[in-house]
Amino acid sequence: MLIGVVAYFVFVSLPLSAEIHQLANKTVAVVQPLLLFLMLFISFCKIDPTKIRPRRWHLWLILIQAGSFIVLALVSQFIDNYNVSILFECAMICMIAPTATAAIVVTDKLGGNTLTITAYTIMINIVTSVVFSLFIPFVNPTVGMSFWQAFTIIVKQVFPLLVFPFLLAWLVRLFLPNLLNIILRIKDLAFYLWMVALAIALSVTTRALVHSNISVWCFFGILLITLICCISQFYIGKRIGSLYADRISAGQSLGQKNTVFIIWTAYTFMNPVTAVAGGFYSIWHNSINSYQLYKKRKKDRAERKV
């Protein structure tokens, strides 16, 4: 995370031409989704698709995400203050945003159940596409999109990165077992790809925060709202997961968000200022992930000594 932040400030401080900066932006736009694709592909190679099943905690988490979004959307219609309405929009997209594709990698590293979080990731992307599309006219009537228009745009943005690696991994499992064995023998490959993707994501987040034109009050308000949303969702997810012996997977499913989705939906459907929420949420959930990985490594070392 620190490498990503420092890399941004080092890069912008170099005496480089505008063409180089444009090339860097284009490169990041290609490399970032490619890394996510590879991470998911490798993670899905470890999973037998026939064993993916819905769990009861999936329903509870879906109800929490969809329900909180709907309630916030309805309440926001009675708010006239501009800054307060921005904070409501930030909370809305932080709650409805689907599980991050990288959550499967982190869950695997933490010792969670990758089958259950994969199932939830697929389900919540479908639910998010439907619920978000239905309530866009209430949240921002100026967008002027019908349900099907918004739904189609979201599906085109979200599902290729989720479905294609899943199908490719399934095909490799069925028809290329030797290649599958080679992929599985490379230990923690998806995790190292996630580390690179994380550094790039924090560089992009830093750029978005530096170039945001919002008031100081609104800036710190969004910072606080995203922190509350992040901590509360990790906590609630873990609490519900504990009831079904799947604490790690449920916590990551609800707490680790697709922040690219947050930023993209903010620019596409809502007040662009709310895109800052995606940047802050990225910092919070990755900080929590880093702490969890630190605790897991410390625990494993203690167990090995015993």
Side-chain angles (χ1 to χ4, degrees):
M1 290 175 65
L2 290 175
I3 289 173
V5 174
V6 172
Y8 168 78
F9 287 110
V10 170
F11 180 76
V12 296
S13 66
L14 296 175
L16 301 174
S17 63
E19 289 77 12
I20 297 296
H21 283 275
Q22 291 176 359
L23 178 61
N25 290 333
K26 291 179 180 178
T27 302
V28 168
V30 174
V31 171
Q32 198 169 29
L34 178 61
L35 287 172
L36 293 174
F37 183 96
L38 292 173
M39 282 161 36
L40 276 180
F41 168 68
I42 295 168
S43 298
F44 287 152
C45 281
K46 301 178 182 179
I47 297 171
D48 184 353
T50 61
K51 295 181 179 179
I52 295 178
R53 297 285 188 277
R55 299 289 191 272
R56 288 186 178 181
W57 63 260
H58 290 159
L59 177 60
W60 286 113
L61 265 58
I62 287 172
L63 289 174
I64 289 169
Q65 287 198 240
S68 59
F69 174 81
I70 293 170
V71 170
L72 288 168
L74 295 175
V75 173
S76 68
Q77 302 311 299
F78 300 96
I79 297 173
D80 295 326
N81 185 282
Y82 174 78
N83 287 326
V84 175
S85 66
I86 290 294
L87 298 184
F88 262 84
E89 289 190 15
C90 289
M92 287 161 53
I93 54 177
C94 285
M95 295 303 296
I96 196 61
T99 305
T101 51
I104 300 170
V105 178
V106 178
T107 298
D108 184 40
K109 195 67 176 175
L110 291 171
N113 189 327
T114 54
L115 284 170
T116 55
I117 193 172
T118 298
Y120 187 77
T121 300
I122 295 170
M123 287 189 289
I124 194 57
N125 272 278
I126 296 172
V127 171
T128 296
S129 301
V130 174
V131 173
F132 194 89
S133 301
L134 281 172
F135 280 84
I136 279 299
F138 291 98
V139 178
N140 191 0
T142 59
V143 173
M145 288 188 186
S146 66
F147 164 78
W148 286 113
Q149 287 175 316
F151 179 76
T152 302
I153 292 173
I154 293 173
V155 167
K156 286 181 178 179
Q157 178 72 17
V158 172
F159 275 83
L161 197 58
L162 182 67
V163 175
F164 291 164
F166 182 81
L167 294 177
L168 181 60
W170 199 349
L171 292 174
V172 168
R173 175 176 286 273
L174 290 175
F175 302 110
L176 298 171
N178 291 333
L179 176 59
L180 178 66
N181 290 331
I182 293 172
I183 294 171
L184 296 181
R185 278 201 300 266
I186 306 175
K187 187 180 179 181
D188 293 334
L189 178 57
F191 178 71
Y192 293 123
L193 289 175
W194 172 73
M195 290 175 65
V196 177
L198 177 59
I200 295 174
L202 264 294
S203 291
V204 174
T205 296
T206 303
R207 182 185 64 183
L209 294 177
V210 168
H211 291 282
S212 62
N213 296 316
I214 58 176
S215 66
V216 174
W217 187 93
C218 194
F219 182 89
F220 283 103
I222 296 174
L223 183 149
L224 181 60
I225 285 294
T226 52
L227 178 60
I228 293 172
C229 288
C230 185
I231 292 176
S232 62
Q233 288 184 96
F234 268 106
Y235 176 78
I236 293 170
K238 288 179 181 294
R239 291 282 293 184
I240 292 175
S242 297
L243 300 176
Y244 299 95
D246 207 356
R247 185 173 183 272
I248 295 173
S249 301
Q252 295 304 127
S253 293
L254 192 60
Q256 190 172 347
K257 298 292 188 180
N258 184 343
T259 53
V260 174
F261 176 89
I262 295 175
I263 295 170
W264 174 74
T265 50
Y267 278 120
T268 307
F269 301 105
M270 308 176 85
N271 191 315
V273 173
T274 57
V276 177
F280 279 130
Y281 201 100
S282 177
I283 294 171
W284 303 140
H285 81 172
N286 283 307
S287 296
I288 292 174
N289 285 337
S290 299
Y291 178 67
Q292 291 180 131
L293 290 167
Y294 162 75
K295 284 180 64 180
K296 179 66 165 58
R297 184 175 61 181
K298 189 177 179 180
K299 180 181 177 183
D300 290 344
R301 285 178 178 176
E303 290 176 349
R304 282 195 295 267
K305 288 180 181 180
V306 173

